[in-house]
Amino acid sequence: MPEISPFVPAALPKTPTGIDGLDEITAGGLPQGRPTLVCGSAGCGKTLLAVEFLVRGAQQFDEPGVLLTFEETAAELAANVASLGFDLPHLQAAGRLRLDYVHLDRAEVREAGAYDLDGLFIRLGHAIDAIGARRVVLDTLEALFAGFTDEAILRAELRRLFRWLKDRGVTTVITAERGEGSLTRQGLEEYVSDCVILLDNRVIDQITTRRLRIVKYRGSAHGTNEYPYLIGEEGISVLPVTSLRLEHPASDEIISSGVPGLDALFARRGWYRGSSTLVTGTAGTAKTTLAAAFALEACRRGERCLFFAFEESPAQLLRNLRAVGLDLAPYVTQGLLRLDASRPTLNGLERHLVTLQRAIRQFRPQAVVIDPISNLIAVGSLSEVRSMLTRMIDFLKVQGISALFTALLHARAGQVEQTEEGISSLIDTWLVVRDLEDRGERRRGLSILKARGLAHSTQTRELRLTERGIELLDTVLAASGSLTI
Amino acid sequence: MDPTIAPLPGTAHEFCLYVAGATPNSTRALRNIKEICEQYLAGRYVLRIIDMQQEPQLAQQEQIIAAPTLVRRQPLPPRRLVGDLSNRATVLAVLELDPPPLPATLLP
């Protein structure tokens, strides 16, 4: 009896788009040699996604592309995407890209008898052959329906067009306008069965958020969620959770917190490199100072540190920290420390995340401080903040960056639980600073709420700000015993 | 396919017929337009036939999508017709040609 060999599924060949994040959620890109439909309402970036697919293909993957545009002339299109750093005329001159504007005007053409769209096929074929194109974009094919009246002919020709594109083996992106109750206005999804991507533009609390979803992808696993995406200065960024499988490396190296008294609370005198630390506390509990000590210590080790300040300007921050013996200015001059100050409410959450990631990619720090992350809650709902932080922390972990976040807690009850629910699972080390009222004196108490993989003291120490920095004194016990958070 | 009919002095009409090879549609279109020209414009027209498969760049230049496409260049304004031109009434209306004369047998 012949042995039955185990079934090994052949991997579907894919064409990487080169678009930030999109290749991750499609597990490698668009189906190679097949058409993909990108649909969405007006202004959600369909054309841009399609153009970026061509530009990245020509620049990064040595795949020339043809763009057949029905709505904008080649010059208009080139001007529109120039602000995103896409130099279409240059790519055209280099023979990496070919633009053909198809002008359609029903008023100029009358139909008198049977016809087909061979002219379109010939133009497309000519453009593909001229530069050896591997990628094609049709933006937007539905304009044909405005140019011709005979729908039966059009539909037959569309079917023939998609068949023809597949036979040519070019990877095609077709854009289409979102329809009422259907994916596209003219039902193009009927002809494209391999991959359909839906773009969506919505306004929540006066902030526009864009979402991308893979509606279907025949023969391939793909992310099924709605992913936020942005149109930034360098094109489209889709924001997937970068490491869905928690495969980041774990360093065994211990780094100092920058506060000797705090290090002493850990059996190994500090926490792990590449771990995430959260400092929470009510107003005025020296969270920023703790964060600055951590940043300063990183710079002393000769590492680069990026400090995101969402509450104070760099000048004010430097002045205030100098008053407690933390002089960051020399490291700023040396270029080891970069202070990045902005108000998060100016941007939506996603844009914020992209801004942070971009700054981190540029500066390539070993340590990052975000002071505070709770400011972000002003921008989005807790679940949104949580999903953004998951992405942020994942992004940092994959790169082995040691991170410290601060979060403001209000004195009223419930806040800690909320934070706990929100981000505790993402955090490795959690420090809590709280106010201790003792016989008319307000003191600060610091304790370690959790520290993954580290033996640590469970006592509360008194935290004092001195001219020499932060000092931790031996255990304090409030006379009232009211050690409530 | 004969691409050109030599221009005659005093020509008033100039047509280009864009086809994609010798398909049934293009053959019919050619026959129809020749018939119309001979009937209404005998000796006063030029008809060029352009095979887009041979000259694809012309399809792009002239913004041709459908095949066959008839373009009237002269007289102005330019007119465009797509299809095999079997709908004679439409063709005559678009080209602004007079209604057909009655066949001789019906004349008194």
Side-chain angles (χ1 to χ4, degrees), chain A residues 101 103 110 112 114 116 119-120, chain B residues 63-65 67 80 82-85:
Chain A
Y101 166 59
H103 175 78
R110 286 291 294 276
D116 55 36
L120 188 69
Chain B
Q63 286 292 355
I64 309 294
I65 300 163
R80 279 172 180 240
V82 303
D84 63 8
L85 310 178

Side-chain angles (χ1 to χ4, degrees), chain A residues 188-266:
Chain A
L188 287 184
E189 61 269 28
E190 192 187 320
Y191 309 100
V192 182
S193 50
D194 296 294
C195 182
V196 178
I197 297 174
L198 180 65
L199 303 180
D200 183 38
N201 210 355
R202 70 185 84 142
V203 179
I204 303 167
D205 289 341
Q206 294 151 33
I207 292 173
T208 301
T209 48
R210 296 180 154 114
R211 298 274 187 276
L212 178 149
R213 184 160 67 92
I214 314 280
V215 179
K216 81 171 175 189
Y217 197 146
R218 185 177 282 180
S220 166
H222 59 84
T224 51
N225 297 340
E226 281 193 314
Y227 299 93
Y229 71 96
L230 286 170
I231 299 172
E233 292 124 53
E234 291 161 30
I236 288 183
S237 303
V238 187
L239 310 174
V241 178
T242 43
S243 63
L244 292 161
R245 276 180 281 198
L246 289 173
E247 279 172 344
H248 44 258
S251 169
D252 199 38
E253 190 190 336
I254 294 289
I255 55 171
S256 163
S257 67
V259 180
L262 178 55
D263 289 346
L265 296 181
F266 293 93

Side-chain angles (χ1 to χ4, degrees), chain A residues 351-423:
Chain A
R351 182 161 303 278
H352 208 71
L353 177 57
V354 167
T355 314
L356 295 185
Q357 290 191 350
R358 191 161 289 156
I360 289 167
R361 277 204 201 100
Q362 276 171 6
F363 192 61
R364 305 171 59 77
Q366 283 92 4
V368 163
V369 171
I370 300 183
D371 178 45
I373 52 164
S374 47
N375 230 346
L376 299 172
I377 295 175
V379 189
S381 70
L382 195 71
S383 72
E384 282 179 300
V385 172
R386 187 191 145 81
S387 91
M388 173 184 146
L389 278 176
T390 310
R391 294 190 171 98
M392 188 71 210
I393 290 171
D394 261 12
F395 175 79
L396 294 168
K397 284 222 157 158
V398 167
Q399 314 205 22
I401 296 172
S402 314
L404 188 142
F405 313 103
T406 70
L408 176 70
L409 295 185
H410 296 289
R412 67 183 144 81
Q415 278 272 328
V416 175
E417 286 74 16
Q418 259 200 1
T419 310
E420 202 166 348
E421 202 178 294
I423 56 175

